[in-house]
Amino acid sequence: MEIEFKIDEGEFVVVSPFRVITKDGKTNKFQLLDAGRNCWLELSLDNSRFSIETIDERINESDDIIRDKLDSLIIKVIEAEQEGTDLTELPTIQEERPFNPDQIKVNAKQFSLRLITEMIDGGDMDLSPDFQRNFVWNNFQKSRLIESILLRIPLPMFYFSEDEEGRISVVDGLQRITTIKEFMDNKFPLRNLEYLSDSCDGRYYQDDGKKQGIDPKFVRWFNQTQFSVNVIDPTSPSKVKYDIFRRINTGGKPLTNQEIRNCLSGKALRHALRKMTELEEFKTATDYSIKSTRMEDHEVALRFILFHRMIEGNGSIEAYNGYMDPSLDDLTDELQFSQESELSKYVDLFSNSMKNAEYLLGARYAFRKITPYDLEPGSYKQLINKALFASLSVLLSPYEHSLVRQKNDEFALQMPLAQKIDDDGDFWNYLSYGTNGRSNLLYSFDKVQELINIHLSF
């Protein structure tokens, strides 16, 4: 979550919001930090509005522009914290370009609606049916799109990605494609039309004995509709589709990085992540804190797979380069054609890990940046910390839950973790700022493994 300010030298600084949480409780203070942890603004939050307490004099923006940016930011901050994870990510510094621009190949093509439906039915186009499951179009939006097609109004550009075997994934335009397919499958009637209400309102795509279809002339017009598509050639670097998606993802409610991955991932990975996040043990271990609204739950599950695979292959996460989103993109692409049987083991490991975490830490404290103060009655419940979630979930996953219960007391890691975070200033800082950083994750994994070795028996 980033915001940009113009500074005196005619350049810009990119900052991220961090809630200031002291070791004796929660405050409503925020800082806007750049990637070097330099503070540019200090803010207080009152009645869902930011008030500026201090501001760096190098920021060269009018008061009105600053206020507009902060008003926009507060909505994102509130939404993010309602998702159940803390704000601990910093802007990326000088990230390497993910691909050579000379290798990009995007071809302009024309597709007919009939061809699209045939590709979907034949399995050559993946609609990712669980994509944006909480933000699907309503009947009004669907009907207006179909009416536009019937009126022969050109549709906006679509973006597809083609793989080496000719299969298509939808990079942009998924809701439109899904709506068209649902209409041709007679799944909804047209309602509240603006221009064709007399001839088409209440009608379906075709007659089926119970449902009245639109006039045959409209069916012909509909089927003959051509629309423009930019198709990413399979010889282009795989990261191109993620970059294109993020660049064109500027609609009314831009998608999160995980929603984009969900759209572009293979079915097996989507199903595995859904199974992981639907586990009752995941929900109870996190105290139902991580929400599914913007697929925050899927992202933490994907992080589990990412780091578990690193430890499987190398015995550590040394291979992690510190760039979380590109790493998750790469993993999503790597698992594009995996079979469900290959990924099912991560569902089982995740299930075992969640049971262990809840038993050893308690649902109120598992995966949270706790200190002894937080263990006292009436204390504020900390948000889920992504660095702790990754390290604890991965490192607790190999131990059989029944054996953990047999040889260890309940909540055996609760006080040791809280005391370690309280005593170790580096650990506190690494869990507080830029938790996606390589040093942060390496330190977190190291300290959690140390706690497991000292305080648990197997």
Side-chain angles (χ1 to χ4, degrees), residues 343-402:
L343 300 179
S344 61
K345 68 175 183 179
Y346 295 113
V347 180
D348 295 336
L349 286 164
F350 195 68
S351 171
N352 189 63
S353 176
M354 294 301 106
K355 293 175 185 176
N356 288 340
E358 183 172 359
Y359 178 76
L360 294 169
L361 288 155
R364 182 178 174 84
Y365 306 110
F367 315 119
R368 302 170 198 268
K369 189 179 66 177
I370 55 174
T371 66
Y373 175 85
D374 296 302
L375 304 182
E376 296 178 6
S379 62
Y380 167 73
K381 184 172 74 172
Q382 300 292 342
L383 294 168
I384 298 291
N385 183 277
K386 290 182 179 179
L388 277 176
F389 187 93
S391 52
L392 280 164
S393 63
V394 170
L395 294 175
L396 288 175
S397 63
Y399 305 110
E400 177 59 42
H401 180 60
S402 60

Side-chain angles (χ1 to χ4, degrees), residues 199-215:
S199 56
C200 295
D201 202 273
R203 298 194 179 192
Y204 291 77
Y205 174 65
Q206 60 186 359
D207 290 312
D208 67 356
K210 296 181 180 179
K211 301 172 181 177
Q212 185 179 11
I214 57 177
D215 189 279

Side-chain angles (χ1 to χ4, degrees), residues 38 41-42 50 89 118 140 186 192 199 218 223 229 240 253 298 300 302 319 356 394:
N38 302 302
L41 289 93
E42 290 185 330
F50 277 138
E89 298 179 7
E118 290 175 354
F140 175 82
N186 263 19
N192 302 309
S199 56
F218 287 124
N223 292 343
V229 178
V240 169
K253 187 149 191 167
H298 281 221
V300 298
L302 186 61
N356 288 340
V394 170

Side-chain angles (χ1 to χ4, degrees), residues 165-337:
E165 298 181 3
R167 287 190 290 264
I168 296 290
S169 59
V170 182
V171 176
D172 185 59
L174 184 67
Q175 291 284 18
R176 286 174 282 157
I177 293 291
T178 302
T179 295
I180 290 166
K181 183 64 169 67
E182 288 182 352
F183 181 64
M184 297 184 78
D185 288 343
N186 263 19
K187 290 187 176 180
F188 68 91
L190 301 176
R191 300 289 188 194
N192 302 309
L193 301 179
E194 187 173 5
Y195 297 102
L196 301 176
S197 58
D198 291 341
S199 56
C200 295
D201 202 273
R203 298 194 179 192
Y204 291 77
Y205 174 65
Q206 60 186 359
D207 290 312
D208 67 356
K210 296 181 180 179
K211 301 172 181 177
Q212 185 179 11
I214 57 177
D215 189 279
K217 70 176 181 180
F218 287 124
V219 175
R220 287 193 295 272
W221 291 353
F222 188 86
N223 292 343
Q224 293 168 6
T225 298
Q226 300 277 325
F227 53 86
S228 300
V229 178
N230 280 331
V231 182
I232 304 171
D233 192 273
T235 61
S236 296
S238 61
K239 293 181 181 179
V240 169
K241 58 187 177 183
Y242 293 96
D243 190 62
I244 289 177
F245 205 132
R246 290 184 177 112
R247 286 174 182 270
I248 65 177
N249 177 29
T250 57
K253 187 149 191 167
L255 304 178
T256 65
N257 287 326
Q258 186 56 37
E259 287 172 328
I260 292 172
R261 290 184 203 103
N262 183 69
C263 177
L264 301 176
S265 66
K267 288 184 178 179
L269 179 58
R270 290 201 309 272
H271 292 171
L273 294 178
R274 187 169 65 247
K275 287 179 180 178
M276 292 166 74
T277 56
E278 288 178 351
L279 290 168
E280 186 62 23
E281 46 267 40
F282 166 71
K283 296 176 182 178
T284 58
T286 57
D287 205 18
Y288 296 85
S289 295
I290 303 180
K291 309 302 181 185
S292 63
T293 312
R294 303 304 305 270
M295 291 198 161
E296 187 76 15
D297 54 348
H298 281 221
E299 182 177 306
V300 298
L302 186 61
R303 291 181 186 219
F304 171 85
I305 297 177
L306 172 71
F307 291 112
H308 200 286
R309 286 169 66 86
M310 286 185 185
I311 288 183
E312 279 181 303
N314 306 306
S316 73
I317 64 163
E318 288 284 341
Y320 176 59
N321 60 16
Y323 298 125
M324 182 61 72
D325 281 322
S327 296
L328 295 176
D329 293 347
D330 287 344
L331 177 62
T332 299
D333 195 64
E334 181 184 344
L335 300 177
Q336 177 75 24
F337 301 111

Side-chain angles (χ1 to χ4, degrees), residues 419-441:
Q419 198 67 60
K420 182 65 177 176
I421 294 173
D422 195 44
D423 293 342
D424 188 335
D426 288 336
F427 198 18
W428 169 271
N429 286 327
Y430 278 133
L431 295 175
S432 301
Y433 302 103
T435 57
N436 287 342
R438 185 172 184 274
S439 297
N440 301 63
L441 268 300

